[in-house]
Amino acid sequence: MDLSLSDEQKQLQESAERFSREKYTFENRRKIVATERGWLPENWAQFAELGWLGMAFSEEDGGYGGGPIETMIVMEQFGKGLVLEPFLPTVVLGGGMIARAGSADQKAALLAPMIEGKKQFAFAWLERQSRYNLADVSLKATREGNGWSLSGHKGVVYNAASADEIIVLARTAGSAREPKGLTLFVVDAKAKGLSRRDYPTQDALRASELTFDKVSVGADAVLGKVDDAFPVVEEAVDRAIVALCAEATGCMDAINAATLEYIKTRKQFGVAIGKFQVLQHRMVDCFTNAQEARSMTLMASLKIDDKDPMVRAKAASGAKVQIGKSGKFCGQSAVQMHGGMGVTDEMAVSHYFKRLTMIDLMFGNQQHHLTRYSNLAMAA
Amino acid sequence: MDLSLKPEHKAFADEVRAFARENLSPATREKTFSGKHYDRDDHIVWQKALGKKGWLAYTWPKKYGGPGWDVTQRFLFENVLAEEGAPRILPFGPKMVGPVIYTFGTEEQKERFLPGIRSSEVSWCQGYSEPGAGSDLANLRTRAVREGDHYIVNGQKTWTSFAHWGDWIFCLVRTNPDGKPQEGISFLLIDMKTPGVTVRPIIMTDGAHHVNDVFLDNVKVPVENLIGKENEGWTCAKFLLANERLGIAEVPSSKRGVSMLRQIARIEPQDGGTLADDPAFTAQIADIDLQVQALEMSELRVLSAMAQGGAPGPEVSTLKVRGSEIQQRIAELTMEAVGEYAQPYQPGMLFHDTNETPTGPDHAPPAAPRYFNMRKTSIYGGSTEIQKNIVSKMVLGL
Amino acid sequence: MDLAFTPEEQKFADEVRAFVRANLPADVRDKVKNGKHLIRDDYMRWQQALGKKGWLVYTWPKKHGGPGFTPAQRYIFENICAEEYAPGIIPFGTKMVGPVIYTFGTEAQKEKYLPAIRESTVWWCQGYSEPGSGSDLASLRTKAEKDGDHYIVNGSKTWNTMGHWADWIFCLVRTDFKSKPQEGISFLLIDMKTPGITVKPIIMADGGHEVNEVFFDNVRVPVENLVGKENEGWTCAKFLLANERLGIAAVPQSKRGVEALKDIARVEQDNGRPLIENQSFAEKIADLEIQVTALEFTELRVLSQMAQGGQPGAEVSGLKIRGSEIQQRITELTMEAVGEYSAPYLPGLLWQGTNEEPVGPDYAHLAAPRYFNTRKTTIYGGSNEIQKGIISKMVLGL
């Protein structure tokens, strides 16, 4: 048992921290939000150059042999800066599923260029009715000659507008909500019959609604085994959850730091408001919440490579519960202690608050994961 | 970073488990799992066994007769003992006064007092709080006046846990009434058999007798029982409090509490099934389970930082805060699980080995008393409010 | 004591419902029902209809042109308006400055201002908070200096709600810098068309514009616009704040909010079933509903005391605290019900009423902005920390 970072990991932490601090000042970020893509290609190129896009992949897959701890380190710093580049959909989700389920050809065609910064992905699983059930998928893929034809709808697909390939979860057999009978397809983002409606999200990311109208793909578009995608997706989503938790931890550090600074300087009744015990204790609770969030994120990052899927699922759900709870507490408290300023667009806190709020809703909120964890724990 | 155990650590855990099974009396073990109160022998017999093995003062460095374990070994030792139903080690000797003596004491004091602590031959208790000095500890008024080779001590200590079992008491006393409150305090060791020491029980809301008032009436204490310098006892006091806060989170016993709670839920009937079928209730268990895990990871992070040379900082206060809330929550949920059968009050079942039959299931009688009793955890060792003040000032700079 | 309505009250309820159905413009009702943002004209059309009926200033005594409703009638009126999706009455004229004028104003002021408030032909806004004085209102620095028949006003006000739609503003200004902060404040009515007034929007976290900063640069205000005595404006301010806290609990709106939440939970899917069948979620709604009921009965108790001649005391601060927390909880659960479809941000649809097609169901895009925006309720009208300070001091005597 060892909870200390290696020297390489400390260096990674420093360079990610520097990136967020220098490239993601409040004003810079505002400008990046206003660009057409909503993120900067030069930043993405820098990620590739620094090796961040390949760090978590094995050397045989063309990566640098790191793992969830490296992802945690970088995501945490991304959270501090509210970084907008689509690392989660492209690297953690897309790259993760290709590395886990892809053929040698797919890895060569997709993973290698992704690590070089030349390909981006989006993961389309959610549908209007799905809520947090990953198997609640009705977009249909039917056999068509040697290949497949996809028809249906996908919602809130992050990074779809910038992605080169969309990784689509489709039903190839079975009834609604049955885990068996789901298949992953890699679909060219410009495929005929695929239409998009793009929009920004509450926290200034980009997402889209996708409509598939008889989109034809070849047999080689299948990622992994036909009808058997569910375990791949579940694992990828659990890994994405852990990465999101790390991002949330960074957000909490930043929002707590901003609030602490504010209550030390804002004066009312002749003193800094941080002299009032009500606010002091609330600030301490924020600090404790962030500590717990960091602890659970670390726990989950250390367990997410476990061989036992039950251990992985419990770790991811456990961390997500903590992040939901702590994120809400820190976010709401930051706004409250900032007073009216906390809900204005011009203060950084409101942006962290929005991101923390959206993180809770992604891939299952606190309640969902509490139920999931509870069921797993009672089954044990 | 790595959570997995090396083979030598696995072997160590097996050794601890085997030791516990060999040496822990079945009666004591049974009391742990049924939630009954321990008597003095439950603690002392077990602690002497640990002492013989050299494991009682397990947090001490080798130099002072500790086993010199690393963070992982400590973690395993605490967890295995909790799983095996061992009573917690009474902290007053091995975790409180012991480290104070080997850090601030003279060579003579170390030789005189440390062996009795390591072997559990001598039981200690703590004389800190006073009727007028609770959260505001530095306000204490028990006086020690130098008279030749002795201090004459007069005053009253309260909330003294297990003073009725104690051979010795370590006390904070005022040696200088002038100046700032923190500056006139000294750290004194007092033999409980000295004339003028009187112990009076305080009976708690659950009917239990753990704590006492201790009256000191012209008690003559040799000056060689002073630890550190006169009027500099506050340094020892703070050192002790920071150490105390770390272990006080009680993570291993909370883990045991969660698994006992799940057991109870599987037994308690509800709607023709058991309470374990009620998702609203099991979700509450899951929630507390996760809180325990978060606390455990936080504590491990602190221990890991300490292993690399850091001292426990004021942020351990947050561990104490969360640890006490968690202990309370487990007690609350356990009582909720028992439901209406938590109502009968059966003191015989709690305190004595009577043959009385419990009104409901075996686990029912201790549920409510334990809930009432656990309210103390957010009060003792520096209340939650005081801990938050410490963090606010020392960590956040407010 | 009796919870049932008398036949007269029942008749009154029918009358109110019939009136609302006949007079609330259908497009306004739809906007409220669908949670869309209202524009000035939407409010005005409805308020003027109420004004014509004599019901706009339903809290005013008969003597000043109010309907003289009993507490039961007020309750019925507020609840039916909410049930029928009427917009909330803008309080600045009717509930804030109006009562200040009829309590502290001269006969001439009453004649000049009250009719237009009763009929909603003039839109009022509030000039209280300043950049440097939020919770500490009495530290305000906007100054008014006497110059013959006028005050010359210089300074700025912030968090000014809907000032961009207003004809008049009532302001707290400092007329004396020498005495205690509370003692040099005056209550002044200012025409928003006076030269020297600039309104600058503040954009909120949800992208919306409802509040402003208002700048005063040598604004000339006739001395007859002073309400009460010079330097005694703090009395008016406190009177107004206590009145404000009462309505601020927004119980009827919260009741409507809970119903709307249930409607959404009946439509939203969870594992192929309506979300409302999810036990955990249903329990959260139940918990919220119980909180609303407790708040409603507390408010009814206060109103009943007032009907017997009492003034709203400091305990109404408790209503504001719980009311605001409940409003927040409704938006939080609504967002939870909508789930990931809360993520799309559609400012056009949200703010400009464009014909943009919503993403997901109609209500989805409103959920997150509402949640963000409603964080203000525990801050405005005296933050909840301030309210607790008031209760602690004025009610509990701490």
Side-chain angles (χ1 to χ4, degrees):
Chain A
M1 194 166 65
D2 171 20
L3 298 185
S4 53
L5 294 177
S6 68
D7 288 344
E8 292 78 17
Q9 287 168 337
K10 281 182 191 151
Q11 277 168 19
L12 176 64
Q13 191 176 42
E14 275 163 32
S15 74
E17 192 273 334
R18 192 174 329 115
F19 171 82
S20 281
R21 181 163 35 83
E22 289 173 358
K23 300 290 175 70
Y24 271 87
T25 63
F26 189 68
E27 274 318 305
N28 268 352
R29 181 174 183 276
R30 216 181 250 289
K31 284 181 201 148
I32 300 171
V33 168
T35 59
E36 197 195 333
R37 284 188 186 84
W39 54 273
L40 288 187
E42 63 194 68
N43 287 346
W44 197 254
Q46 194 185 344
F47 291 1
E49 201 176 303
L50 290 167
W52 295 354
L53 302 178
M55 66 189 180
F57 299 96
S58 69
E59 282 166 28
E60 62 195 53
D61 285 343
Y64 309 116
I69 296 295
E70 280 72 19
T71 304
M72 175 188 85
I73 290 169
V74 168
M75 287 300 286
E76 187 177 324
Q77 299 305 325
F78 284 176
K80 275 190 190 159
L82 291 175
V83 168
L84 298 157
E85 277 70 28
F87 189 86
L88 188 82
T90 297
V91 180
V92 181
L93 282 161
M97 286 188 287
I98 294 163
R100 160 85 199 268
S103 65
D105 285 350
Q106 284 169 326
K107 286 182 184 176
L110 300 167
L111 201 54
M114 184 211 79
I115 291 172
E116 288 167 32
K118 291 180 185 141
K119 256 194 197 304
Q120 290 202 350
F121 306 122
F123 175 44
W125 78 272
L126 183 82
E127 296 174 10
R128 179 60 200 107
Q129 80 291 343
S130 311
R131 191 158 297 271
Y132 304 127
N133 184 345
L134 294 171
D136 197 340
V137 166
S138 62
L139 182 140
K140 267 211 157 50
T142 43
R143 294 213 186 250
E144 183 191 67
N146 270 341
W148 298 82
S149 170
L150 277 62
S151 285
H153 184 84
K154 290 287 172 185
V156 200
V157 182
Y158 284 89
N159 201 40
S162 290
D164 302 285
E165 315 282 344
I166 316 276
I167 299 173
V168 184
L169 184 61
R171 185 155 293 285
T172 39
S175 57
R177 295 183 297 283
E178 202 181 317
K180 191 80 187 155
L182 296 173
T183 306
L184 283 167
F185 293 90
V186 181
V187 180
D188 184 340
K190 293 184 205 68
K192 193 162 160 267
L194 170 55
S195 56
R196 254 185 16 235
R197 179 184 174 191
D198 302 334
Y199 47 78
T201 57
Q202 304 289 343
D203 46 354
L205 294 172
R206 303 298 175 89
S208 309
E209 297 297 294
L210 302 182
T211 306
F212 293 75
D213 183 15
K214 300 192 189 100
V215 174
S216 297
V217 293
D220 59 350
V222 173
L223 185 62
K225 293 192 196 119
V226 172
D227 291 348
D228 219 7
F230 188 75
V232 176
V233 170
E234 197 176 35
E235 187 189 329
V237 167
D238 278 341
R239 286 174 181 278
I241 284 171
V242 177
L244 270 176
C245 289
E247 184 185 347
T249 306
C251 287
M252 279 180 240
D253 277 353
I255 202 170
N256 285 348
T259 308
L260 181 59
E261 177 64 23
Y262 186 80
I263 66 172
K264 279 181 181 173
T265 46
R266 165 78 173 171
K267 285 204 164 101
Q268 290 284 270
F269 304 101
V271 293
I273 58 175
K275 290 288 165 206
F276 295 108
Q277 199 180 38
V278 202
L279 299 196
Q280 290 177 348
H281 285 196
R282 188 155 184 173
M283 197 68 237
V284 172
D285 293 340
C286 289
F287 171 81
T288 309
N289 265 280
Q291 289 294 314
E292 292 176 306
R294 166 159 289 109
S295 293
M296 290 301 271
T297 300
L298 177 61
M299 179 279 294
S301 301
L302 288 166
K303 287 187 176 175
I304 200 68
D305 268 345
D306 199 282
K307 280 182 224 71
D308 183 351
M310 175 98 107
V311 170
R312 293 198 303 262
K314 278 174 74 178
S317 280
K320 193 71 170 31
V321 169
Q322 183 69 56
I323 253 67
K325 191 190 291 179
S326 292
K328 189 178 283 179
F329 186 83
C330 292
Q332 294 183 349
S333 297
V335 169
Q336 184 69 20
M337 288 191 270
H338 272 80
M341 295 306 293
V343 265
T344 62
D345 192 51
E346 64 184 276
M347 296 292 276
V349 275
S350 72
H351 300 269
Y352 287 108
F353 176 44
K354 287 196 272 192
R355 179 68 189 138
L356 283 168
T357 305
M358 290 301 122
I359 286 176
D360 180 45
L361 293 176
M362 280 184 87
F363 297 122
N365 66 356
Q366 185 188 336
Q367 179 71 59
H368 170 81
H369 283 286
L370 184 63
T371 306
R372 183 179 182 231
Y373 179 91
S374 177
N375 291 338
L376 291 167
M378 290 308 288
Chain B
M1 287 197 166
D2 193 358
L3 272 185
S4 61
L5 293 178
K6 294 190 193 115
E8 59 266 32
H9 283 137
K10 281 186 186 152
F12 173 78
D14 292 342
E15 189 191 352
V16 174
R17 198 175 302 279
F19 176 84
R21 293 195 176 163
E22 185 100 338
N23 291 279
L24 181 63
S25 104
T28 304
R29 185 186 152 88
E30 193 277 327
K31 284 184 184 174
T32 304
F33 288 111
S34 61
K36 288 188 187 133
H37 288 282
Y38 303 115
D39 58 28
R40 186 176 190 272
D41 272 355
D42 289 311
H43 285 286
I44 300 305
V45 171
W46 166 238
Q47 291 192 173
K48 282 186 176 164
L50 284 173
K52 215 175 200 175
K53 179 83 179 166
W55 285 355
L56 181 61
Y58 69 97
T59 58
W60 296 13
K62 268 203 166 135
K63 183 165 148 189
Y64 299 117
W69 286 341
D70 63 22
V71 171
T72 309
Q73 285 173 306
R74 278 194 204 183
F75 172 82
L76 291 170
F77 178 74
E78 291 170 357
N79 278 275
V80 170
L81 292 192
E83 284 163 24
E84 291 298 320
R88 72 176 180 133
I89 293 172
L90 294 178
F92 311 106
K95 292 199 175 164
M96 294 183 171
V97 76
V100 167
I101 292 171
Y102 69 64
T103 307
F104 300 100
T106 61
E107 288 311 312
E108 290 74 24
Q109 288 170 332
K110 290 178 202 170
E111 270 168 42
R112 182 172 168 208
F113 294 108
L114 297 185
I117 297 173
R118 284 197 302 262
S119 64
S120 202
E121 285 302 324
V122 177
S123 289
W124 286 82
C125 60
Q126 179 185 32
Y128 265 40
S129 298
E130 297 182 9
S135 287
D136 182 9
L137 184 58
N139 189 37
L140 60 93
R141 306 172 64 85
T142 294
R143 285 277 296 169
V145 181
R146 183 79 177 258
E147 232 175 58
D149 289 347
H150 286 80
Y151 288 103
I152 309 298
V153 183
N154 278 289
Q156 184 194 343
K157 294 291 174 181
T158 191
W159 308 126
T160 312
S161 297
F162 305 114
H164 51 304
W165 298 344
D167 304 307
W168 281 75
I169 182 168
F170 56 94
C171 278
L172 292 178
V173 294
R174 184 158 303 286
T175 37
N176 180 7
D178 306 322
K180 281 194 203 160
Q182 284 84 348
E183 285 169 9
I185 291 171
S186 299
F187 194 99
L188 215 53
L189 312 181
I190 305 177
D191 187 335
M192 294 289 279
K193 288 180 297 294
T194 322
V197 178
T198 320
V199 176
R200 191 177 75 186
I202 302 174
I203 302 302
M204 299 306 280
T205 173
D206 63 350
H209 170 208
H210 291 144
V211 292
N212 305 274
D213 283 316
V214 177
F215 298 92
L216 302 157
D217 180 20
N218 285 315
V219 178
K220 279 184 75 159
V221 182
V223 288
E224 64 258 31
N225 290 10
L226 173 75
I227 303 284
K229 294 205 184 110
E230 193 177 271
N231 296 331
E232 291 185 9
W234 192 247
T235 313
C236 304
K238 279 195 302 184
F239 170 84
L240 187 152
L241 284 172
N243 275 324
E244 181 188 6
R245 261 167 228 140
L246 198 57
I248 216 170
E250 295 282 356
V251 175
S253 82
S254 286
K255 282 161 77 178
R256 185 175 65 203
V258 170
S259 76
M260 285 165 66
L261 176 57
R262 281 212 173 88
Q263 276 311 114
I264 291 174
R266 290 195 175 99
I267 296 168
E268 282 293 330
Q270 178 174 297
D271 293 333
T274 71
L275 188 57
D277 307 326
D278 178 347
F281 193 76
T282 55
Q284 295 188 72
I285 303 180
D287 191 60
I288 193 67
D289 177 349
L290 290 169
Q291 290 183 41
V292 175
Q293 289 184 42
L295 182 65
E296 178 172 50
M297 273 319 279
S298 296
E299 197 170 55
L300 283 174
R301 289 200 297 117
V302 171
L303 289 174
S304 152
M306 279 169 66
Q308 308 195 1
E315 66 273 17
V316 300
S317 286
T318 64
L319 302 179
K320 196 264 165 175
V321 171
R322 297 293 293 118
S324 55
E325 287 168 354
I326 286 168
Q327 293 175 72
Q328 293 177 337
R329 182 70 182 142
I330 293 170
E332 194 175 338
L333 284 175
T334 304
M335 183 175 68
E336 199 177 318
V338 173
E340 301 232 26
Y341 273 95
Q343 293 177 89
Y345 178 54
Q346 298 183 280
M349 300 288 309
L350 295 177
F351 301 117
H352 320 291
D353 291 319
T354 58
N355 290 325
E356 201 179 343
T357 317
T359 312
D362 259 355
H363 56 252
R370 188 166 174 79
Y371 167 71
F372 300 138
N373 186 263
M374 282 294 113
R375 301 315 302 167
K376 73 186 177 194
T377 61
S378 56
I379 300 166
Y380 67 32
S383 70
T384 291
E385 289 74 14
I386 290 292
Q387 305 296 347
K388 288 185 182 179
N389 286 348
I390 292 172
V391 178
S392 163
K393 193 171 154 197
M394 308 298 285
V395 182
L396 304 178
L398 288 171
Chain C
M1 282 200 183
D2 194 352
L3 263 185
F5 291 131
T6 62
E8 297 80 57
E9 285 162 354
Q10 200 52 59
K11 210 173 129 231
F12 174 74
D14 296 340
E15 186 191 352
V16 174
R17 198 176 301 279
F19 175 82
V20 180
R21 292 195 176 162
N23 290 280
L24 177 62
D27 58 322
V28 177
R29 180 192 152 90
D30 285 349
K31 279 191 180 178
V32 173
K33 187 165 186 192
N34 298 319
K36 302 249 191 277
H37 285 273
L38 273 61
I39 59 170
R40 186 181 195 268
D41 180 59
D42 296 330
Y43 288 107
M44 282 306 220
R45 280 184 288 152
W46 167 237
Q47 294 194 169
Q48 285 170 1
L50 282 173
K52 223 178 235 164
K53 177 82 180 170
W55 284 352
L56 180 61
V57 293
Y58 67 97
T59 58
W60 295 16
K62 272 205 163 130
K63 173 165 141 191
H64 301 300
F69 283 168
T70 63
Q73 284 176 314
R74 268 199 207 186
Y75 172 86
I76 290 165
F77 176 76
E78 289 174 353
N79 277 275
I80 289 177
C81 285
E83 283 166 23
E84 295 291 327
Y85 301 102
I89 293 170
I90 301 295
F92 307 110
T94 54
K95 294 197 173 164
M96 295 184 173
V97 75
V100 168
I101 292 171
Y102 67 63
T103 308
F104 301 99
T106 62
E107 288 311 313
Q109 286 171 334
K110 292 180 199 169
E111 271 169 43
K112 179 172 175 193
Y113 297 108
L114 296 185
I117 295 173
R118 286 197 299 263
E119 291 153 18
S120 195
T121 52
V122 166
W123 188 294
W124 283 85
C125 66
Q126 181 184 32
Y128 265 40
S129 297
E130 297 183 6
S133 49
S135 289
D136 182 11
L137 185 58
S139 71
L140 61 92
R141 308 183 60 83
T142 293
K143 69 177 173 195
E145 290 165 303
K146 202 74 153 283
D147 177 25
D149 290 348
H150 285 80
Y151 289 103
I152 312 295
V153 179
N154 280 289
S156 70
K157 293 289 176 183
T158 192
W159 308 126
N160 161 271
T161 305
M162 301 177 190
H164 49 302
W165 292 344
D167 305 303
W168 281 75
I169 183 170
F170 56 93
C171 279
L172 292 179
V173 294
R174 184 159 303 285
T175 37
D176 176 3
F177 275 85
K178 289 185 211 79
S179 35
K180 278 197 207 161
Q182 284 86 347
E183 286 171 8
I185 291 171
S186 300
F187 193 98
L188 216 52
L189 311 180
I190 306 177
D191 187 332
M192 290 291 279
K193 289 183 295 296
T194 323
I197 297 180
T198 322
V199 177
K200 196 182 106 186
I202 300 174
I203 302 303
M204 301 302 277
D206 61 358
H209 168 209
E210 58 183 24
V211 293
N212 306 279
E213 279 186 274
V214 181
F215 297 92
F216 298 87
D217 179 21
N218 286 316
V219 175
R220 290 179 69 85
V221 182
V223 290
E224 64 259 30
N225 291 12
L226 175 75
V227 179
K229 294 206 186 109
E230 193 177 88
N231 296 333
E232 291 183 11
W234 192 245
T235 314
C236 303
K238 278 194 302 183
F239 171 84
L240 186 153
L241 284 172
N243 274 323
E244 181 187 6
R245 263 168 226 140
L246 196 58
I248 218 170
V251 176
Q253 286 74 19
S254 287
K255 283 161 77 178
R256 187 173 72 198
V258 172
E259 290 312 313
L261 168 60
K262 284 186 192 161
D263 285 342
I264 290 175
R266 285 186 190 103
V267 177
E268 286 290 323
Q269 295 295 293
D270 178 51
N271 288 314
R273 305 288 312 159
L275 179 63
I276 204 157
E277 293 176 18
N278 175 314
Q279 191 189 344
S280 322
F281 197 78
E283 283 173 10
K284 288 181 183 173
I285 299 180
D287 186 58
L288 181 61
E289 223 174 297
I290 291 162
Q291 290 180 43
V292 174
T293 307
L295 181 66
E296 178 170 40
F297 270 79
T298 312
E299 193 170 60
L300 283 172
R301 288 196 299 112
V302 171
L303 287 173
S304 144
Q305 278 162 16
M306 284 169 63
Q308 305 187 10
Q311 274 296 308
E315 60 275 27
V316 298
S317 288
L319 300 178
K320 194 264 162 172
I321 294 169
R322 299 294 295 122
S324 58
E325 288 168 352
I326 287 168
Q327 286 170 274
Q328 292 181 338
R329 184 70 180 144
I330 292 171
T331 64
E332 199 174 320
L333 286 183
T334 304
M335 184 175 66
E336 194 175 324
V338 173
E340 295 218 42
Y341 269 91
S342 299
Y345 178 56
L346 309 171
L349 193 58
L350 191 60
W351 299 110
Q352 281 96 40
T354 56
N355 290 325
E356 196 178 349
E357 187 63 23
V359 175
D362 240 3
Y363 50 76
H365 73 284
L366 294 161
R370 272 270 167 86
Y371 169 71
F372 299 137
N373 187 272
T374 306
R375 303 313 306 170
K376 72 188 176 192
T377 59
T378 49
I379 297 167
Y380 68 27
S383 72
N384 284 13
E385 288 79 3
I386 292 291
Q387 305 297 345
K388 288 183 186 174
I390 293 172
I391 296 176
S392 153
K393 196 171 152 193
M394 308 300 282
V395 181
L396 308 177
L398 291 172

